[in-house]
Amino acid sequence: MKIVLIGYGKMGKEIERIALGRGHSIVAKIDVDNQADLQALTSADADVVIEFSNPASAYANILTCINKQIPVVCGTTGWLEKKSEVESLTKEKNSTFFYASNYSIGVNLFFRLNKMLAQLMAPQKEYDIYTNEIHHLEKKDSPSGTAITIAEGIIDAYATKDKWVNNEIPAANEVAIWSQRESIIPGTHTVKYISKVDQIEITHEAFSREGFALGAVIAAEWVQDKKGVLGMDDMLK
């Protein structure tokens, strides 16, 4: 494939390494210093765009790619209040938009485990819910997109929960996410159910960015013959 990278930080460089190792070529690298280069691209120049930039620019980057009919695989979080607009434009333009809050295969299995556990725990009223995420100091958004996906999985299983809060004592209808930024930790996510007599805990701990980058490249390979709004659940099926 001919791949365009939008965002050339640590994640972009790891995606480049893995993509080249899988026989693909990187035809452009768009970062803060050359944003105008994205406007010059056409669908003939690239088979797919992999977008890992920042919350401030992701939305505009994605719209540009969709309008140009270039499939886009996005992993940037912190902009999702506009996701419905992106999905509508994708359908209108018969384009391709793949989004995941986390591209790690292990994390997406964790999402499923989290939903299963939440369904088991929902009838057990004596347990309080606690979720925690820890990331490196350079991460710009809080909570992480992965933590939000985890909280939403819990909310779906609980008739009494309808929203999440970040670093706040939760009300009865809320799921608390406690966010920490420490050192160079790639990402650790924990869900706990705590009662007076015991505790149930599940945790996913990433050791490096490699799992995220590999998943993004696999997603870029997978979307080649597809249209519409897609995600990890579609791919894992």
Side-chain angles (χ1 to χ4, degrees), residues 42-84:
T42 71
S43 58
D45 299 320
D47 297 311
V48 66
V49 165
I50 301 180
E51 210 279 353
F52 276 79
S53 60
N54 62 73
S57 60
Y59 176 69
N61 293 337
I62 294 163
L63 292 188
T64 298
C65 295
I66 291 171
N67 279 311
K68 289 175 177 287
Q69 295 278 307
I70 306 173
V72 56
V73 171
C74 176
T76 306
T77 58
W79 63 275
L80 296 185
E81 69 280 356
K82 297 179 178 178
K83 187 167 179 277
S84 62

